[in-house]
Amino acid sequence: MKKRITADLPSLLAALDPQADLAHRHLWLIYLLDWVRGKRDSVPAAVGRVQLFLDAVEARPDIQLRLQAWWATLVDQVDITTLLADFGFAPRTALVSEFAERLRTKLLPGSPETIDASELFMLALPSEFDAQWLTALDETQLTRLVALLAPPPDAPANGIGASRWHKALLDAITYCAGQILSTGFAPELRLRMSESARDAQPFHALIRDVEGLRVEVVHALRTPDRLNDAAQRLRERLEACRAAASTVYTHFESNGISVGLVFRLRQLRERILRVRELLDCLLSPKPAVTAARLMAHLVMVGQDRRSLRSLLASNSSLLAAKVAERSAETGEHYITRNGTEYRSMFRKAAGGGAVMAITTMAKFGLYALALSAFWGGFWAGVNYATTFVLIQLLHLTVATKQPAMTAPAMAAKLKELGASNAIESFVDEITHLVRSQVAAVLGNVLVVFPAVLGLAALIALATGSPALSEKQAEHVFESLHLLGPSLFFAAFTGVLLFASSIIAGWTENWFVLNRLDSAMHYNPRITRVLGADRAARWAGFLRANLSGLAANISLGFMLGLVPAFAGFFGLALDVRHVTLSTGQVGAASAALGLEVLHLPAFWWAVASLPLLGALNVTVSFYLAFSLALRAQNVSGVDRSRIYAAIRARMRAAPLSFFMPERRQAA
């Protein structure tokens, strides 16, 4: 078999050589299964080709002998136990190493010259179609296939004892149990289990129950009752192990989530499920059928084993839920529900707009320094981050930062849609949110424009020249032109606003997971330097404000540095923040005086401002809301009912989306 085999059955049977070297014996199997698949467009056709193969081999005793010799050599040199026990599981217990292993599998080709059954399995059965035709094989075909591959001497004498297949299953169960035991005894998991789970010690007797099952299967005098009792004890032990491991998730609820620990817990759960599947195969009265179903399942496991997206999605879903939950806690503070809260939001936004006026003028001052792209972006980021942090510490607000925080709070309400008045309550929350955003945007924009005008006038009075040159002012209007790329840049800024909320949630989760507030409060070295009272105050301050600090600092540097890095790669990408853009229009207007009112470019720039704000808010809210929906597992909600209720509210009370109702204000 030194040449590629022709894709037809006679050539395949003629090329069957049990004396061939390792690689060519495995290549024959790969070519045979490739012939069975055909064009991968018809399961009945594939099953029909399996029938043709069985008929052809049974009609030729010489080929049957060669096939049996080939199979005996295969199972002697390739241990199927590794396939049954380890296929689909990470060779290491870290998420990063598993990601690297999957990337290697996707990029580098496999070799049939291997004694690793898992590697050979992925080469021989590489597609989802294989699972389909394996499942479609009937019991008669599977029984005939087993008879052709494994002659009667392979069965236990007098039907008593364990066959080669049963021994492989027992070994695989033992290997899986060892991995379960190792994970269950890992200190990072054991210390996070509930106290009752640790006291029950479910993992301690796992190996004993596995060995009890082995004795009942292998022992020549076993009885069905004893075997069933041993299997039931093992099932109950596995369930106890699974329940004990699941208590770790309760610890995550209050102490933060680690993606690495989630990965190990998922591996533990999948190992337990694998043992149950192997146990079903071991006890099945139809071993050929259950073996085929197990192989079909392993094919699908192999598909998932190749997927990088599946790995990241499955192991980051809980982290996304925790990030969304922590953002929801913050987002509740940005939703106004009555006139008093509405006016308070407007005042806070007005204060934020006044501070942003200083930021706008500082930005033009940095332009005057003519720094390089990186350093210009860096100091712009420092300028933005400092402003955002100052606004946070002064308990003011910036409108565009709110949607990414309020969206998870809104998604949390969707879990209550089963109640009778849930839709109406949710629409109430939508109106509260929209008018909160209106108040915040108006407070920012209506104050930042005159504040920048005043600052520019003071600078002109103090220096004797305008803060901006006429050319700079014209460039501001041109960059904000409604028909230019500003709207796209505003949408991109919404993405950055969403990203800052993710960074904020992740940072707070990391802080809580590592118990840094407790460490800062009680660590002897820290209390020795700061004093006990000051250490307690700092710990409380960071616990309460770390999320906001992370969001503000990350957003500031992204607004400053992302355009610089994009320019390095030749991408004409910029940011458009509605409050900063309004301030820039104010500075340019101050430079040109009243004549600016006669310039079309001025009005084009002014016309773009409402759309910039809308895109900043809408894009960041949409991304955060989508993440929160997935995290809350409410993707199946009937959205049409919600949309219909919102349209009805807009027809009945359109002003409720912009101003609080009088009865609420009262």
Side-chain angles (χ1 to χ4, degrees):
M1 200 165 62
K2 301 301 181 184
K3 298 181 180 179
R4 178 172 174 85
I5 303 170
T6 306
D8 61 80
L9 184 58
S11 299
L12 285 167
L13 296 178
L16 177 59
D17 182 8
Q19 303 301 321
D21 57 65
L22 180 71
H24 286 90
R25 286 199 309 273
H26 295 170
L27 280 173
W28 183 85
L29 175 63
I30 293 170
Y31 293 149
L32 174 65
L33 294 175
D34 191 46
W35 169 78
V36 169
R37 280 187 293 270
K39 296 180 179 180
R40 306 186 187 187
D41 57 354
S42 173
V43 172
V47 174
R49 282 186 283 272
V50 173
Q51 184 70 35
L52 289 175
F53 173 77
L54 295 173
D55 294 340
V57 174
E58 288 176 344
R60 297 275 303 275
D62 58 322
I63 295 178
Q64 186 172 347
L65 291 175
R66 279 192 286 149
L67 180 64
Q68 292 172 356
W70 171 87
W71 176 254
T73 305
L74 177 71
V75 296
D76 283 341
Q77 295 192 359
V78 178
D79 185 8
I80 195 175
T81 306
T82 60
L83 172 67
L84 299 175
D86 298 321
F87 185 66
F89 298 108
R92 303 169 186 85
T93 57
L95 178 64
V96 175
S97 61
E98 172 63 4
F99 183 88
E101 177 66 18
R102 293 195 182 198
L103 188 62
R104 182 197 68 81
T105 302
K106 289 178 73 71
L107 297 179
L108 300 181
S111 171
E113 191 175 12
T114 178
I115 60 172
D116 185 347
S118 299
E119 187 174 355
L120 178 60
F121 186 84
M122 293 183 71
L123 289 172
L125 299 168
S127 69
E128 293 183 19
F129 182 75
D130 292 305
Q132 297 173 16
W133 68 260
L134 279 171
T135 305
L137 295 175
D138 59 39
E139 182 179 358
T140 302
Q141 291 173 318
L142 292 169
T143 304
R144 291 172 63 192
L145 181 61
V146 170
L148 288 176
L149 295 176
D154 181 61
N158 301 322
I160 300 175
S163 66
R164 183 196 294 268
W165 171 243
H166 287 153
K167 291 178 181 177
L169 290 171
L170 285 171
D171 289 344
I173 290 173
T174 303
Y175 296 159
C176 282
Q179 293 291 337
I180 294 170
L181 192 65
S182 174
T183 304
F185 282 166
E188 59 267 29
L189 264 67
R190 189 177 70 253
L191 294 176
R192 287 175 168 84
M193 293 179 188
S194 67
E195 184 176 355
S196 59
R198 290 197 300 270
D199 292 342
Q201 298 182 338
F203 293 92
H204 289 65
L206 179 61
I207 296 299
R208 182 191 65 194
D209 290 338
V210 170
E211 288 305 311
L213 175 70
R214 178 183 291 274
V215 168
E216 296 302 329
V217 172
V218 175
H219 200 281
L221 299 178
R222 76 180 191 274
T223 63
D225 290 342
R226 289 172 58 91
L227 178 59
N228 292 334
D229 289 343
Q232 183 61 27
R233 281 195 301 271
L234 180 56
R235 289 192 178 97
E236 292 173 356
R237 181 66 58 187
L238 291 171
E239 177 59 25
C241 293
R242 186 206 60 78
S246 67
T247 63
V248 177
Y249 291 101
T250 304
H251 183 277
F252 287 158
E253 288 297 321
S254 57
N255 295 278
I257 289 177
S258 165
V259 175
L261 290 179
V262 172
F263 175 69
R264 298 193 69 174
L265 285 170
R266 290 186 181 276
Q267 291 279 293
L268 175 64
R269 176 179 177 275
E270 294 299 324
R271 290 273 186 188
I272 291 173
L273 293 177
R274 179 66 60 83
V275 173
R276 290 175 178 173
E277 293 171 348
L278 296 174
L279 192 57
D280 290 340
C281 287
L282 183 69
L283 302 177
S284 173
K286 300 177 180 179
V289 175
T290 54
R293 302 300 178 266
L294 177 61
M295 293 299 110
H297 171 70
L298 292 179
V299 169
M300 300 308 299
V301 169
Q303 296 299 306
D304 184 71
R305 183 75 172 83
R306 296 181 178 92
S307 174
L308 298 175
R309 179 182 300 179
S310 172
L311 174 69
L312 296 177
S314 63
N315 290 282
S316 62
S317 58
L318 279 179
L319 179 60
K322 181 56 65 178
V323 168
E325 178 184 317
R326 297 197 184 280
S327 296
E329 294 171 1
T330 305
E332 282 289 342
H333 303 149
Y334 293 122
I335 300 178
T336 65
R337 295 181 172 85
N338 53 54
T340 302
E341 293 177 354
Y342 182 87
R343 289 188 292 272
S344 175
M345 175 64 71
F346 185 87
R347 288 193 295 268
K348 291 179 180 180
V355 176
M356 292 289 281
I358 302 173
T359 307
T360 303
M361 299 311 298
K363 177 180 180 181
F364 286 115
L366 290 172
Y367 284 158
L369 297 178
L371 299 172
S372 64
F374 172 78
W375 288 111
F378 175 80
W379 287 111
V382 171
N383 180 32
Y384 298 145
T386 302
T387 300
F388 294 148
V389 170
L390 179 61
I391 289 173
Q392 176 189 354
L393 296 179
L394 293 176
H395 303 290
L396 305 176
T397 189
V398 178
T400 51
K401 285 179 67 277
Q402 297 176 9
M405 298 295 184
T406 53
M410 297 300 299
K413 306 291 184 183
L414 290 177
K415 294 190 294 184
E416 305 168 3
L417 283 184
S420 58
N421 63 339
I423 294 292
E424 189 68 19
S425 299
F426 185 75
V427 175
D428 288 340
E429 290 296 308
I430 290 289
T431 59
H432 297 157
L433 172 64
V434 172
R435 65 173 175 249
S436 301
Q437 291 298 302
V438 170
V441 172
L442 288 177
N444 281 168
V445 170
L446 294 180
V447 172
V448 72
F449 187 88
V452 170
L453 283 176
L455 285 176
L458 289 175
I459 293 173
L461 184 63
T463 62
S465 60
L468 272 70
S469 67
E470 184 176 338
K471 184 176 181 181
Q472 286 177 314
E474 291 174 351
H475 175 71
V476 167
F477 293 144
E478 181 183 351
S479 66
L480 293 173
H481 199 286
L482 178 62
L483 302 182
S486 289
L487 299 185
F488 172 76
F489 294 156
F492 175 70
T493 305
V495 177
L496 298 184
L497 291 163
F498 165 71
S500 71
S501 72
I502 295 299
I503 293 173
W506 181 90
T507 303
E508 185 177 2
N509 179 76
W510 172 82
F511 185 84
V512 174
L513 177 67
N514 291 282
R515 306 179 64 208
L516 294 183
D517 53 340
S518 178
M520 182 173 290
H521 190 175
Y522 298 110
N523 185 275
R525 287 184 295 176
I526 296 177
T527 54
R528 191 180 303 121
V529 174
L530 297 179
D533 293 340
R534 188 179 291 112
R537 288 196 300 271
W538 274 99
F541 173 81
L542 286 178
R543 182 65 181 85
N545 296 280
L546 182 66
S547 176
L549 292 172
N552 289 321
I553 294 172
S554 62
L555 176 61
F557 278 100
M558 283 191 291
L559 291 177
L561 285 172
V562 166
F565 280 104
F568 176 81
F569 292 102
L571 301 175
L573 197 60
D574 208 343
V575 294
R576 293 290 184 270
H577 189 282
V578 62
T579 309
L580 291 170
S581 297
T582 304
Q584 289 176 312
V585 171
S589 301
L592 297 178
L594 291 176
E595 294 183 1
V596 74
L597 299 176
H598 301 287
L599 295 178
F602 168 76
W603 295 108
W604 279 110
V606 170
S608 72
L609 294 178
L611 296 178
L612 296 185
L615 285 170
N616 285 166
V617 169
T618 304
V619 171
S620 59
F621 181 85
Y622 171 77
L623 294 174
F625 191 65
S626 299
L627 174 66
L629 283 177
R630 291 194 296 271
Q632 299 288 357
N633 294 318
V634 290
S635 57
V637 172
D638 186 5
R639 293 179 177 85
S640 61
R641 293 191 300 148
I642 299 174
Y643 298 151
I646 293 174
R647 289 193 295 268
R649 178 66 62 87
M650 293 181 70
R651 289 192 298 267
L655 290 181
S656 66
F657 287 90
F658 302 97
M659 296 290 292
E661 299 177 16
R662 289 185 180 275
R663 60 180 177 83
Q664 290 178 318

